[in-house]
Amino acid sequence: MLVLSSPSGAGKSTLTRLLTEEEHRAGRPFHLSISVTTRAKRPSEVDGVHYHFISRARFESMREHGELLEWAEVHGNLYGTPREPVEQALERGQDVLFDIDWQGTLQLYEAARPDVVAVFVLPPSIAELKARLERRAEDATDVIARRLANTPTELEHWVDYDYVLINRDVAEAFSNLKAILAAERVRRTRQHGLADFVKDLLRELEG
Ligand code: 5GP
């Protein structure tokens, strides 16, 4: 489970999109977790692609029935990860990418710390973060202000993460993200069947 978190406007969505495209191009098993949210859809967003946009009542029902792997209130809206698609992807042996905040990351740690790799994306400066929030131009001024007001709390949580990327240049940040994924995939503890593979090597050596 690969988690990407950042304050709003640090450029995390771009990295998520680039990684998803790259993995599909390479034909590697990869699953992007699509969250449910009570937030209103932005004009550019597609229901079922960026999020599943649902009512608060539906969200609460999912939460009460244990259908969410983790959930949090962020900028006044509710967000959560549907449990079933993630569990199915993991059973198929696919890696899963999550675009969730620090509250959700801590919940995933509690559920399965050894299976989680968490990456925090920092903006190069607050000026750049503001510029990105404003460039998006899909959110109302008060929505942008609320996101900026939450930035200090979000920034403080960099210490909870395994890796930190400073997004000065998207190509460089993406390259580092790919390196993290590649390295974490070959971790000894994550490679199943290694003992048998080495046994076969030894047999071949003898025979
Ligand atoms: P946005 O409204 O800009 O799409 O997302 C706002 C914040 O909510 C982002 O930091 C995003 O990572 C976080 N978020 C999105 N989906 C989830 C989720 O399912 N769980 C949690 N904990 N956070 C989420």
Side-chain angles (χ1 to χ4, degrees):
M1 292 188 265
L2 179 67
V3 174
L4 266 190
S5 301
S6 74
S8 236
K12 171 191 47 171
S13 321
T14 307
L15 291 172
T16 306
R17 183 177 49 76
L18 288 174
L19 193 63
T20 308
E21 286 169 5
E22 165 93 6
E23 290 299 298
H24 279 125
R25 232 188 343 259
R28 275 187 293 265
F30 192 78
H31 176 84
L32 174 63
S33 168
I34 300 171
S35 300
V36 291
T37 183
T38 62
R39 164 165 82 60
K41 191 174 87 54
R42 293 185 188 126
S44 69
E45 289 176 326
V46 179
D47 190 19
V49 175
H50 298 91
Y51 284 105
H52 299 288
F53 295 92
I54 64 173
S55 66
R56 200 164 257 263
R58 173 82 186 109
F59 190 99
E60 280 161 6
S61 155
M62 288 183 80
R63 192 175 59 193
E64 271 143 41
H65 289 92
E67 292 170 30
L68 299 178
L69 191 57
E70 62 72 36
W71 70 275
E73 184 169 341
V74 190
H75 314 309
N77 297 299
L78 298 174
Y79 297 83
T81 302
R83 179 188 298 278
E84 207 174 291
V86 173
E87 288 181 348
Q88 285 173 351
L90 293 174
E91 270 166 35
R92 286 194 299 269
Q94 295 186 330
D95 293 330
V96 181
L97 175 63
F98 301 82
D99 172 343
I100 60 176
D101 84 327
W102 60 271
Q103 304 173 79
T105 306
L106 296 185
Q107 292 170 54
L108 287 192
Y109 283 168
E110 237 164 67
R113 185 63 183 98
D115 297 328
V116 178
V117 175
V119 181
F120 198 76
V121 183
L122 285 172
S125 66
I126 295 303
E128 182 57 28
L129 179 118
K130 279 187 184 161
R132 284 190 192 147
L133 279 176
E134 279 156 16
R135 229 180 288 140
R136 183 149 71 197
E138 285 195 86
D139 289 330
T141 329
D142 59 326
V143 173
I144 295 177
R146 181 162 200 176
R147 285 170 181 252
L148 273 176
N150 288 337
T151 303
T153 312
E154 295 190 316
L155 280 177
E156 274 169 20
H157 284 276
W158 68 275
V159 288
D160 297 322
Y161 286 73
D162 298 314
Y163 297 93
V164 177
L165 299 176
I166 302 175
N167 196 6
R168 290 192 187 91
D169 168 66
V170 73
E172 187 199 344
F174 181 49
S175 157
N176 282 327
L177 183 61
K178 283 194 290 185
I180 291 166
L181 184 57
E184 290 290 342
R185 276 180 170 151
V186 292
R187 240 181 216 286
R188 175 175 54 77
T189 48
R190 276 202 194 103
Q191 293 196 65
H192 303 297
L194 264 191
D196 285 340
F197 182 76
V198 174
K199 225 184 267 167
D200 286 347
L201 285 179
L202 290 171
R203 216 175 283 138
E204 191 183 341
L205 195 68
E206 283 163 9

